[in-house]
Amino acid sequence: MPDFHKLDSSIPVAPISFIVMDSAKELGELVNNHLVNFRHGLHSLPDDPAFQGYVRDDYRIKFSTPRFGSGESKATIGESIRGKDVFILTDVMNHSLSYKMFGYDNYYSPDDHYQDLKRVIAAINGKARRINIIMPFLYEGRQHHKNNRESLDAAVMLRELYDMGISNFVTFDAHDPRISNSAPLAGFDNFMASPQFMKALISNISDLTVDKDHLTVISPDEGALDRAVYFANVLGVDTGMFYKRRDYSKVVNGSNPIVAHEYLGSEIEGKDVIIIDDMISSGSSMIDTARQLKMKGAKRVFICTTFGLFTNGMEKFDKGYEEGDFDAVITTNLIYQNPEYTNRPYYIVADMSKFLATIIDFMNHDDSLTNVITPTEKLHSILEKYNNGTRKTEELFD
């Protein structure tokens, strides 16, 4: 847990106003509850006017983004945010929301969520002390580099938001964090979910042994290798990767089809294997990777992904689980999760709400966010106690 006492010696930028977009209501409620608990129980509050409004029972503010019958919209802020430190949480991947357009149900796309975010910023109208955007899934982040006559929407978004007056942008596991180069002088923070994956694994897999003789972290392709290396370093284990051999003479559904997955790495027979990536889209390549690992003798295969999109549903995963291709899927609650999916016996949720609340707490004090990230040395200490069985799992992360 971060050292919250560091905040006792610093003054907050301004009172917090937390705007939770409709797309992120469930996550926003969890984050708000943690914030309330932090400031009611963990901080020693000095008797100082600078801390006016510091402790509240709810940091969320009222707002609305109503739609007209034509599909047009506007944003209205329900209370004063003049001089406040505003944090806006949005989930651009929430596909469960809809609105009426010419009498028809129209489901929200990432573009709709992004437009609503801009409307809220416009409604703030420069009155806030500071505006901070928390967008866990980076809008259009999958298209992270430009070739010839293509758009680069993620870069355009960042430039647009900073031009609108935001001060900080927080995201998680960006497909390519170098997209921040589009706004090199602006505040951009990209966090990883690795510690929460580790916590979810050791909390739900009772007989997991975390060392280089029993566990390996695998990247499903060359693009995710950095994540695999980082996670393997956190766990203190070996790593490997798959190379996706594609047919570049064809384009299917916007990409070149994968011909085969070629494994590059050390022997994995008899070991538990963790596959880690930033997202699962359709899931076809992930299931194929897991199947090949089992064919190579892997004892168990655990799939860790920050964003479980499951764009084609869960049928492939249900079948893969029944056939023994993998043993669990661990994904975060940073984006909308279909309640029907979370009921699967193999589906494990890594809760990110407390981590998000900690980020907001430290940002509000303008304190270094390195204090939020659990050091690798501490994670190694936690794993040593876990492997030795000297502490109960629920006590390891106190």
Side-chain angles (χ1 to χ4, degrees), residues 49-310:
F51 285 80
Q52 182 179 4
Y54 188 78
V55 176
R56 295 173 56 185
D57 293 328
D58 195 336
Y59 292 92
R60 292 168 293 182
I61 70 167
K62 297 177 182 178
F63 76 100
S64 63
T65 52
R67 290 270 176 175
F68 301 102
S70 61
E72 297 168 291
S73 182
K74 66 176 181 179
T76 304
I77 306 296
E79 56 190 90
S80 175
I81 54 173
R82 185 180 294 275
K84 302 293 180 65
D85 195 14
V86 177
F87 291 84
I88 307 176
L89 174 64
T90 184
D91 173 13
V92 298
M93 298 308 295
N94 190 333
H95 58 278
S96 69
L97 303 180
S98 65
Y99 58 89
K100 290 289 185 180
M101 182 174 176
F102 293 96
Y104 294 97
D105 287 330
N106 191 52
Y107 284 89
Y108 275 74
S109 71
D111 293 340
D112 291 314
H113 290 302
Y114 175 51
Q115 287 300 120
D116 276 353
L117 172 65
K118 290 196 296 181
R119 292 181 179 108
V120 169
I121 296 173
I124 292 172
N125 198 24
K127 301 298 190 296
R129 169 68 177 81
R130 191 173 65 173
I131 300 176
N132 311 278
I133 305 300
I134 303 174
M135 184 186 289
F137 188 99
L138 184 65
Y139 171 76
E140 298 292 356
R142 297 172 72 177
Q143 203 272 315
H144 54 87
H145 62 272
K146 183 179 176 67
N147 290 315
N148 299 322
R149 298 180 181 89
E150 289 183 345
S151 62
L152 192 57
D153 294 24
V156 172
M157 173 201 67
L158 290 173
R159 292 293 299 271
E160 192 170 25
L161 292 180
Y162 289 120
D163 287 345
M164 292 184 75
I166 76 165
S167 299
N168 296 296
F169 187 94
V170 174
T171 192
F172 283 80
D173 204 352
H175 195 65
D176 189 338
R178 290 175 296 181
I179 196 69
S180 64
N181 293 333
S182 60
L185 301 181
F188 182 95
D189 290 289
N190 179 49
F191 293 95
M192 305 297 287
S194 301
Q196 284 72 27
F197 284 148
M198 186 186 81
K199 181 178 180 180
L201 279 165
I202 66 177
S203 297
N204 291 276
I205 312 299
S206 59
D207 59 342
L208 189 68
T209 302
V210 185
D211 61 36
K212 62 181 180 181
D213 296 323
H214 298 87
L215 185 66
T216 299
V217 176
I218 298 294
S219 168
D221 55 40
E222 58 275 22
L225 184 59
D226 287 346
R227 296 180 184 87
V229 170
Y230 176 74
F231 195 32
N233 183 50
V234 167
L235 299 178
V237 300
D238 198 5
T239 187
M241 67 167 285
F242 276 85
Y243 170 70
K244 290 181 179 179
R245 187 153 52 89
R246 296 179 180 271
D247 183 355
Y248 289 99
S249 66
K250 300 178 183 177
V251 176
V252 179
N253 294 328
S255 63
N256 303 107
I258 298 169
V259 177
H261 289 87
E262 307 289 351
Y263 176 65
L264 303 174
S266 58
E267 183 66 44
I268 59 171
E269 185 172 358
K271 291 185 178 182
D272 288 328
V273 176
I274 296 172
I275 309 174
I276 188 165
D277 206 352
D278 60 329
M279 72 180 75
I280 292 176
S281 185
S282 67
S284 298
S285 60
M286 188 66 78
I287 293 294
D288 186 48
T289 300
R291 184 181 298 114
Q292 290 200 43
L293 289 169
K294 281 294 184 78
M295 292 172 62
K296 292 180 181 296
K299 179 183 176 183
R300 290 178 297 188
V301 175
F302 306 109
I303 299 171
C304 290
T305 182
T306 308
F307 306 108
L309 304 180
F310 305 110

Side-chain angles (χ1 to χ4, degrees), residues 69 316 331 388:
K316 292 178 183 177
T331 187
N388 294 336

